[in-house]
Amino acid sequence: MAKAKETTPRSINIQNRRAGYEYSFLIKYTAGMVLVGTEIKSLRTGNGNITDGYCTFGADGTLWLHGVTIAQYTQGTYNNHEPTRPRQLLLTKKEMRQLENKSQEQGLTIVPLRIFIGERGFAKVEIALAKGKKLYDKREDVKARDAKRELDRNQY
């Protein structure tokens, strides 16, 4: 008897590269997302942009993801989703409480870092509690990155 091939979902990794330049990360969390059918299909084809994304807490204490664009599914019908709608994030109560308390401090925000498909096939978003960098911090990061690149180049 022939064994059926196991198909693994294609790994999707939509990253927010600008966030590492603009913010320094304090704590990272992995949260689930509440999506509709055409959104997950569109994400699996790699159609997403989280560059302008941010998170806020609603009046009832739920965490919402704003500014993230998931393109409409090309084969979707009239049931297609709104590309920039707010999406609810799923965390444990303890993580929500910690995040809400810390995010109320001055100068801290919650930014999405990447969207990926987990082991069980669910869409996940990695978020971070972040503090905005000053201009001189950004310059220091660029200098350190250039120095590291130069060292790596000279070693080989």
Side-chain angles (χ1 to χ4, degrees):
M1 211 189 275
K3 212 175 190 185
K5 277 189 181 177
E6 290 185 33
T7 58
T8 58
R10 202 175 114 226
S11 69
I12 305 300
N13 193 9
I14 301 167
Q15 294 186 345
N16 186 355
R17 293 189 177 141
R18 196 175 97 192
Y21 183 71
E22 297 285 332
Y23 301 100
S24 58
F25 308 126
L26 306 177
I27 305 170
K28 292 183 181 180
Y29 295 96
T30 300
M33 291 194 317
V34 177
L35 299 174
V36 295
T38 54
E39 286 176 324
I40 189 66
K41 288 179 179 184
S42 183
L43 272 180
R44 286 193 175 131
T45 60
N47 296 326
N49 183 4
I50 61 172
T51 304
D52 298 327
Y54 63 96
C55 298
T56 59
F57 279 94
D60 56 350
T62 56
L63 188 62
W64 292 87
L65 182 64
H66 299 274
V68 171
T69 304
I70 297 175
Q72 288 191 340
Y73 187 55
T74 55
Q75 296 171 349
T77 59
Y78 61 90
N79 289 330
N80 228 335
H81 64 278
E82 179 66 32
T84 57
R85 75 176 184 89
R87 292 164 181 91
Q88 185 178 0
L89 297 182
L90 306 171
L91 289 168
T92 64
K93 285 184 183 180
K94 182 179 177 183
E95 289 173 335
M96 288 278 233
R97 246 183 285 118
Q98 288 175 346
L99 202 54
E100 189 170 17
N101 292 338
K102 296 226 180 200
S103 68
Q104 291 173 354
E105 293 178 22
Q106 188 67 28
L108 296 182
T109 186
I110 305 168
V111 293
L113 302 179
R114 68 186 184 115
I115 295 177
F116 61 98
I117 305 294
E119 293 175 5
R120 294 174 48 199
F122 296 119
K124 304 281 186 180
V125 61
E126 185 177 7
I127 58 175
L129 185 65
K131 184 177 178 101
K133 288 184 183 176
K134 304 286 185 201
L135 182 61
Y136 56 85
D137 290 336
K138 294 177 188 178
R139 288 180 185 155
E140 289 296 321
D141 285 350
V142 170
K143 285 180 190 175
R145 190 170 47 235
D146 289 343
K148 183 182 181 304
R149 190 177 301 133
E150 191 64 34
L151 280 174
D152 289 344
R153 205 177 288 148
N154 291 335
Q155 283 181 351
Y156 295 109

